[in-house]
Amino acid sequence: MEKSSTLLVYYDKGTPAVAREIKEALEGNDVEAKVDAMKKALKLLLNGETIPQLFITIIRYVLPSEDHTIQKLLLLYLELIEKTDSRGKVLPEMILICQNLRNNLQHPNEYIRGVTLRFLCRLKETEIVEPLTPSVLQNLEHRHPFVRRNDILAIMSIYKLPNGDQLFVDAPEMIEKALSTEQDPSAKRNAFLMLFTCAEERAVNYLLSNVDKVSDWNESLQMVVLELIRSVCKTKPTEKGKHIKIIISLLSATSSAVIYECAGTLVSLSSAPTAIRAAANTYCQLLLSQSDNNVKLILLDRLSELKSLHRDIMVELIIDVLRALSSPNLDIRKKTLDIALDLITHHNINEVVQMLKKEVVKTQSGELEKNGEYRQMLIQAIHACAVKFPEVASTVVHLLMDFLGDSNVASALDVISFVREIIETNPKLRVSIITRLLDTFYQIRAGKVCPCALWIIGEYCLSLSEVESGISTITQCLGELPFYSVSEESEPTEASNKIQPTSSAMVSSRKPVILADGTYATQSAASETTFSSPTVVQGSLASGNLRALLLTGDFFLGAVVACTLTKLVLRLEEVQSSKTEVNKTVSQALLIMVSLLQLGQSPASPHPIDNDSYERIVLCIKLLCHKNDEMKKVWLESCRQSFVKMISEKQLREMAELKAMAQTTNAQPDDLIDFFHLKSRKGMSQLELEDQVQDDLKRATGEFTKDENDANKLNRILQLTGFSDPVYAEAYVTVHHYDIALQVTVINRTKETLQNLCLELATMGDLKLVERPQNYSLAPGTNMQIKANIKVSSTETGVIFGNIVYETSNVMERNVVVLNDIHIDIMDYISPAVCTEVAFRTMWAEFEWENKVAVNTTIQNERKFLDHIIKSTNMKCLTPPSAIEGECGFLSANLYAKSVFGEDALVNVSIEKQTDGALSGYIRIRSKTQGIALSLGDKITLKQKGSS
């Protein structure tokens, strides 16, 4: 990551000794020494030194040299030095170099001619260029293409100078003539570019007269053709039809770059279904043919844009998009699945699910890295498909249940969550899912998956056979009881034999005693117990997964086992007529629960049982011993009703989000609608007709009027100087994803001409200036627009500061006007995003940077404060509304946002209402990078007070 350096390196660059050393080397005859001296001189110039004393030396001793390296360094030197004085007049000594340049333009070596012509492209002084024009024109017919291609660029740059059209009056005509006979691809491209830049009509005529040959042209020339078409269609929309035909013909070009540009040009110029379909097909073909992952990501971004604007057309290509899953890169696969999930319809759901199932099967056999993460993404995608279209659930649920024992815990969690939702929303699948779950339950090895699976068994085992199978499965997976044991009598060790007295009375006084857990130990008359410490009974190899997890100290799972057994026993009483069988099952369940409590309170456990789990198991024991109808109703009905309510709220929330995302555009009552049906269609192609229809639809729906609000534009104007300053400046700030564009308006409020006016900017934070500042001259009372681009490399609050420096004719000292600082808001880079609760918790545990902000606000309502934080931070609240409803004096919510650089921002708001009505608590921010955590914390600190 690029950051500004804080190390100042001292370099004595301007001392006479250095200049004298360079001068002596230039005056010598050693070519290598001259090359080194010229390089030192160039470094001094780049560091801001003028070294005017070297100019005459270079003219006398370097100019006549025939060495190509020295000649190239000489041209670089001439490019860097100042060629004009403070009044903008060319320095008299610059005339000395004109003769040398003319000689180079007539040099027998084509390299010298070419580099000299390239140097002329950078000259902005008409007085220096004017004597060289005859020699420049002569090189237009040179035998070597290197000279011709640079000569064309030189003619173009001279023609674009002020009064340059007077130096080359018939330059476009000459270039057009050269273009018709030129054979070199690069020279031909430069000639066409010159016509496009300086005489667009000639370029268009040449293009239209060679339409049949465009597909055979060189790649670089085809790129210029596309640029010309974009320019012409923007200024003359009526001529769009004939140019789009050229674009469509270029879609069959051999160059991938040309094909990509063709597709982008088609989308920008036309909204006709034929054009959009052709562009989308092109992107899909490139997606499969290109091997570079960055290229694939860019193509997926283009397809995502098409999806948002032309979804109906993209739906047809969903299978082509899904073929990108063949790439091993996870980012590409994730983006592909995100696009495909938005394109699913009733017509293509079966094909999509079938393809996803094949990909899931591939992850089993493949040995590639991150197969588990890819499988998790596929499972989440299938889950989304089944929620949208429940009819496909039956085709995938049994396949996915094979992955309940997946080593990737996140993948297994997604599967069990999917099963839990499907079994509720698809009652027809309940029997088959329960049967399959009971058959595969022993395969589950993750402590986070077992509780959810047990909950499903407890809630959805309804028939007698299902209840009995559920109890039997749990019992088998728990293994033999008890979970630990104490040995009956310890064998005396050699050491103990030495210590113990040999009295027969003492030996005869030993007797067995029964401990609290029902096991035996031996106690002596001196009340000394000699039993060994408890040991865990691991069970046989056939013992199940639940036993292994419980013996590691997972007592939350033990509480879930107790609750599941309680539900199954209560349901068994409803479906089983035999009281004997019921009592037997109750006794078995109680024995298991008591064994769990004993395990939790024994020294054999890795840690004691927690209070919550202990109270939960005790509650289950009490319920089985003292049953009543109200408690049975709570356990057998209310739990499931709460789950149904949660699912319905989730569906309503998703529907509300989709409605909020839908674009609503309204046309004004007096907007003009031009009905193309009433126009003459003579000479119009099918593509033009479709394009006209789309334009009419956009006008009718108001899509053409979706410009940014003028009030929002005014909010982005920042005043940089005061009204009393000699130079007034204000900036319009436009924040794009990866760069910031500053458009600074500078007004000269004095009565003098400001010379060498320069806008000097500096940045703090992860910001970087793209180009060096330029000098300008500003007449009295006039204004000018100065543009500056700043590169952004991370989500961090940055500051842009600087000043305006200028000179006047009366006072040669430089005047400085300090500018106000421009603060770049982090809110311009983050946007609300959604992630699952599991993903949020995983990221919360992984991210190392945390910023803890204490709540300090005048707002006294918890919900209002949360809404204020959400609005201020531009984040999404992941906690469902039902979880934060009501008045209880406490509130905790999770917020999530994502930056344009792919960074995740996690926020947890935990607040409590005090007795005096004030709110207290903390807002915790976590992120992977320090910048976003600190910047977001500063933003919250600044904005959290709000209004009461």
Side-chain angles (χ1 to χ4, degrees):
M1 187 180 297
E2 296 179 354
K3 292 190 175 181
S4 56
S5 173
T6 56
L7 177 65
L8 179 62
V9 179
Y10 176 71
Y11 176 43
D12 191 6
K13 57 187 179 180
T15 58
V18 176
R20 191 181 309 113
E21 180 184 340
I22 295 174
K23 185 176 180 180
E24 290 174 358
L26 293 175
E27 291 175 351
N29 295 324
D30 189 353
V31 174
E32 293 184 2
K34 282 189 176 184
V35 169
D36 291 338
M38 286 297 296
K39 288 181 179 179
K40 290 180 180 178
L42 290 174
K43 289 179 181 178
L44 290 174
L45 287 171
L46 291 172
N47 285 327
E49 287 294 318
T50 55
I51 49 173
Q53 63 269 34
L54 290 181
F55 181 77
I56 297 300
T57 303
I58 289 175
I59 293 296
R60 289 181 60 189
Y61 296 100
V62 178
L63 210 62
S65 175
E66 293 292 333
D67 186 80
H68 289 181
T69 304
I70 292 178
Q71 285 295 322
K72 186 173 183 179
L73 293 172
L74 172 63
L75 293 175
L76 291 174
Y77 170 80
L78 295 176
E79 182 182 342
L80 290 174
I81 62 174
E82 287 289 338
K83 305 174 189 64
T84 58
D85 56 17
S86 57
R87 295 172 297 174
K89 298 289 185 180
V90 175
L91 296 172
E93 54 265 31
M94 288 297 112
I95 304 301
L96 297 174
I97 68 171
C98 288
Q99 183 60 40
N100 176 262
L101 293 176
R102 185 185 295 110
N103 293 338
N104 283 351
L105 292 175
Q106 298 172 357
H107 199 280
N109 185 280
E110 60 272 5
Y111 175 77
I112 297 296
R113 289 198 186 200
V115 295
T116 306
L117 288 166
R118 189 178 300 173
F119 166 71
L120 292 182
C121 296
R122 299 177 178 87
L123 281 181
K124 305 299 180 186
E125 293 76 24
T126 309
E127 293 87 344
I128 300 176
V129 174
E130 186 175 0
L132 306 176
T133 51
S135 301
V136 172
L137 290 177
Q138 289 176 4
N139 284 297
L140 196 58
E141 299 178 356
H142 194 274
R143 60 178 177 78
H144 202 283
F146 178 73
V147 177
R148 295 199 303 273
R149 72 179 68 138
N150 284 294
D151 187 65
I152 294 170
L153 292 178
I155 292 174
M156 180 176 69
S157 61
I158 296 172
Y159 190 81
K160 290 165 65 177
L161 291 175
N163 301 322
D165 54 346
Q166 297 179 7
L167 298 178
F168 291 127
V169 179
D170 52 352
E173 185 179 348
M174 289 188 296
I175 296 298
E176 186 177 11
K177 183 179 177 182
L179 178 60
S180 59
T181 58
E182 183 60 63
Q183 298 299 321
D184 180 64
S186 297
K188 202 168 184 177
R189 176 257 181 198
N190 292 347
F192 190 79
L193 179 62
M194 190 275 175
L195 292 180
F196 166 41
T197 308
C198 304
E200 191 176 275
E201 287 295 331
R202 290 180 180 272
V204 172
N205 292 336
Y206 178 81
L207 175 62
L208 294 178
S209 61
N210 293 274
V211 171
D212 298 335
K213 302 177 184 177
V214 173
S215 56
D216 301 326
W217 285 353
N218 180 263
E219 173 188 345
S220 58
L221 181 54
Q222 289 175 342
M223 298 289 279
V224 180
V225 167
L226 292 173
E227 192 176 346
L228 171 67
I229 291 174
R230 282 195 292 267
S231 174
V232 171
C233 292
K234 185 179 291 186
T235 55
K236 300 176 182 178
T238 55
E239 298 185 6
K240 190 190 301 183
K242 52 188 175 185
H243 291 100
I244 285 182
K245 294 175 184 176
I246 300 175
I247 299 174
I248 292 178
S249 68
L250 285 176
L251 286 174
S252 58
T254 55
S255 168
S256 299
V258 173
I259 296 173
Y260 174 79
E261 287 296 327
C262 280
T265 306
L266 266 181
V267 174
S268 64
L269 296 182
S270 174
S271 56
T274 305
I276 301 301
R277 194 173 290 108
N281 275 319
T282 301
Y283 287 144
C284 291
Q285 291 170 10
L286 291 173
L287 196 59
L288 296 177
S289 62
Q290 297 301 306
S291 58
D292 192 309
N293 288 339
N294 293 320
V295 174
K296 288 178 180 285
L297 289 171
I298 292 172
L299 289 167
L300 287 170
D301 286 337
R302 300 290 85 77
L303 287 170
S304 181
E305 292 171 3
L306 285 181
K307 177 205 69 179
S308 59
L309 297 174
H310 308 279
R311 184 179 181 277
D312 294 340
I313 297 173
M314 286 297 298
V315 164
E316 306 169 10
L317 304 172
I318 185 170
I319 300 300
D320 295 328
V321 174
L322 282 172
R323 290 196 178 98
L325 292 175
S326 58
S327 171
N329 185 276
L330 281 182
D331 293 329
I332 294 174
R333 287 170 162 173
K334 185 177 186 306
K335 192 167 283 192
T336 302
L337 289 172
D338 290 341
I339 294 172
L341 289 178
D342 289 337
L343 300 176
I344 297 173
T345 63
H346 286 283
H347 301 291
N348 58 28
I349 182 64
N350 291 326
E351 291 180 88
V352 172
V353 170
Q354 195 67 28
M355 195 165 185
L356 294 179
K357 284 169 62 178
K358 290 179 181 177
E359 291 295 320
V360 170
V361 173
K362 287 179 185 177
T363 60
Q364 290 178 283
S365 57
E367 297 297 330
L368 296 175
E369 294 182 5
K370 299 184 178 179
N371 254 356
E373 295 180 41
Y374 179 41
R375 189 184 306 122
Q376 182 185 355
M377 287 193 293
L378 291 170
I379 291 169
Q380 291 172 350
I382 294 174
H383 185 179
C385 294
V387 170
K388 285 184 180 179
F389 304 95
E391 62 270 15
V392 301
S394 59
T395 63
V396 294
V397 65
H398 299 300
L399 171 67
L400 295 185
M401 290 180 73
D402 291 336
F403 297 99
L404 286 173
D406 196 346
S407 57
N408 185 356
V409 179
S411 177
L413 270 175
D414 287 330
V415 172
I416 200 65
S417 301
F418 168 66
V419 171
R420 184 180 62 178
E421 189 168 347
I422 292 302
I423 199 172
E424 173 59 39
T425 54
N426 288 8
K428 295 179 180 179
L429 300 177
R430 186 191 63 81
V431 176
S432 60
I433 290 177
I434 284 294
T435 305
R436 187 63 179 272
L437 180 60
L438 293 174
D439 291 341
T440 57
F441 185 81
Y442 70 94
Q443 298 176 356
I444 302 175
R445 299 292 173 185
K448 294 181 179 180
V449 180
C450 281
C452 189
L454 287 169
W455 185 88
I456 295 172
I457 292 172
E459 289 292 337
Y460 295 96
C461 286
L462 303 180
S463 65
L464 177 60
S465 59
E466 291 170 352
V467 172
E468 290 177 345
S469 298
I471 295 173
S472 174
T473 300
I474 295 173
T475 305
Q476 291 174 10
C477 291
L478 287 172
E480 299 176 357
L481 299 177
F483 295 109
Y484 78 100
S485 65
V486 180
S487 59
E488 293 184 0
E489 185 173 352
S490 61
E491 294 293 335
T493 62
E494 184 179 349
S496 63
N497 286 334
K498 294 178 182 177
I499 297 172
Q500 290 175 349
T502 57
S503 169
S504 60
M506 178 67 74
V507 174
S508 63
S509 65
R510 297 162 68 92
K511 61 180 180 179
V513 292
I514 301 176
L515 299 179
D517 58 358
T519 58
Y520 291 91
T522 305
Q523 188 177 26
S524 67
S527 300
E528 292 181 355
T529 305
T530 60
F531 57 86
S532 63
S533 60
T535 57
V536 171
V537 179
Q538 298 292 344
S540 63
L541 293 175
S543 298
N545 48 352
L546 290 179
R547 187 185 191 89
L549 292 170
L550 288 171
L551 295 181
T552 61
D554 190 353
F555 293 108
F556 172 75
L557 177 60
V560 176
V561 169
C563 292
T564 304
L565 286 173
T566 302
K567 291 179 183 178
L568 292 174
V569 169
L570 293 177
R571 191 162 282 119
L572 183 65
E573 291 181 351
E574 295 180 352
V575 297
Q576 174 63 271
S577 57
S578 174
K579 296 297 181 181
T580 305
E581 291 296 327
V582 172
N583 293 334
K584 182 180 177 181
T585 307
V586 171
S587 302
Q588 185 181 16
L590 288 173
L591 180 60
I592 291 172
M593 295 176 195
V594 172
S595 299
L596 289 171
L597 292 177
Q598 290 177 346
L599 176 63
Q601 294 175 337
S602 73
S605 174
H607 56 81
I609 186 172
D610 58 282
N611 292 334
D612 291 338
S613 300
Y614 178 84
E615 292 175 1
R616 191 73 169 168
I617 296 174
V618 170
L619 176 64
C620 294
I621 294 174
K622 290 180 179 179
L623 180 60
L624 291 181
C625 294
H626 308 285
K627 308 181 187 70
N628 62 72
D629 293 338
E630 291 184 4
M631 290 300 293
K632 286 179 64 176
K633 184 177 180 182
V634 171
W635 281 71
L636 297 182
E637 296 179 12
S638 299
C639 294
R640 187 168 171 184
Q641 289 172 359
S642 299
F643 179 61
V644 172
K645 183 180 179 183
M646 186 189 80
I647 291 180
S648 60
E649 286 181 354
K650 177 186 173 184
Q651 293 173 344
L652 290 174
R653 193 165 61 249
E654 290 176 351
M655 290 176 62
E657 290 175 358
L658 289 175
K659 288 181 180 178
M661 291 172 60
Q663 296 180 349
T664 56
T665 54
N666 299 313
Q668 296 299 321
D670 56 348
D671 283 354
L672 175 66
I673 299 178
D674 188 8
F675 291 98
F676 93 101
H677 299 83
L678 305 179
K679 287 184 176 180
S680 172
R681 304 186 190 183
K682 187 175 181 181
M684 295 180 69
S685 64
Q686 181 63 30
L687 188 62
E688 290 177 277
L689 293 174
E690 292 180 3
D691 207 21
Q692 189 67 46
V693 172
Q694 296 299 318
D695 289 348
D696 288 347
L697 289 174
K698 287 182 179 180
R699 287 191 182 92
T701 57
E703 193 169 337
F704 280 157
T705 60
K706 292 189 299 180
D707 294 329
E708 187 180 4
N709 193 351
D710 292 337
N712 293 334
K713 290 184 178 180
L714 291 175
N715 291 335
R716 293 186 174 273
I717 295 177
L718 303 175
Q719 184 178 342
L720 300 181
T721 62
F723 293 112
S724 60
D725 289 322
V727 177
Y728 175 78
E730 62 182 20
Y732 176 67
V733 184
T734 305
V735 179
H736 301 289
H737 282 179
Y738 299 101
D739 62 345
I740 301 168
L742 293 181
Q743 187 174 340
V744 182
T745 302
V746 180
I747 303 175
N748 181 4
R749 304 188 65 215
T750 66
K751 296 182 179 179
E752 298 179 350
T753 300
L754 305 183
Q755 300 172 355
N756 294 329
L757 184 143
C758 180
L759 175 66
E760 297 179 347
L761 297 175
T763 59
M764 186 170 63
D766 287 334
L767 306 175
K768 181 184 176 184
L769 286 168
V770 176
E771 66 265 329
R772 296 173 61 187
Q774 296 182 3
N775 293 336
Y776 303 93
S777 294
L778 195 58
T782 59
N783 63 77
M784 67 167 22
Q785 304 283 337
I786 301 177
K787 294 183 178 180
N789 291 316
I790 296 171
K791 178 185 172 186
V792 184
S793 55
S794 74
T795 308
E796 185 176 347
T797 299
V799 180
I800 304 171
F801 54 93
N803 48 54
I804 293 178
V805 182
Y806 64 91
E807 299 174 354
T808 59
S809 57
N810 296 335
V811 182
M812 296 308 295
E813 295 181 359
R814 296 173 70 85
N815 301 298
V816 179
V817 178
V818 180
L819 306 178
N820 290 331
D821 295 345
I822 301 174
H823 293 268
I824 304 303
D825 196 351
I826 187 179
M827 295 302 104
D828 293 323
Y829 298 104
I830 67 173
S831 56
V834 179
C835 71
T836 61
E837 184 181 353
V838 175
F840 185 93
R841 291 180 182 275
T842 304
M843 289 188 288
W844 187 269
E846 291 176 353
F847 290 173
E848 55 185 357
W849 290 104
E850 177 174 313
N851 191 3
K852 193 173 183 180
V853 180
V855 172
N856 180 18
T857 180
T858 56
I859 302 174
Q860 295 188 348
N861 183 276
E862 304 97 314
R863 186 61 187 270
K864 285 184 179 178
F865 178 73
L866 176 63
D867 293 339
H868 177 68
I869 293 297
I870 292 172
K871 183 179 179 182
S872 302
T873 57
N874 194 27
M875 302 188 80
K876 172 75 175 177
C877 182
L878 299 182
T879 307
S882 59
I884 52 179
E885 285 179 352
E887 298 290 338
C888 64
F890 297 91
L891 188 145
S892 180
N894 294 330
L895 312 181
Y896 179 65
K898 208 172 183 68
S899 76
V900 296
F901 303 99
E903 300 166 315
D904 300 289
L906 313 179
V907 173
N908 173 260
V909 181
S910 298
I911 50 179
E912 176 185 3
K913 196 165 190 176
Q914 302 295 326
T915 54
D916 59 353
L919 297 180
S920 65
Y922 291 95
I923 302 171
R924 298 167 66 194
I925 307 153
R926 286 197 182 184
S927 66
K928 205 169 188 177
T929 58
Q930 183 184 19
I932 192 170
L934 293 177
S935 301
L936 205 52
D938 294 340
K939 185 74 175 178
I940 291 175
T941 304
L942 184 66
K943 294 282 189 179
Q944 69 168 318
K945 288 194 174 183
S947 58
S948 57

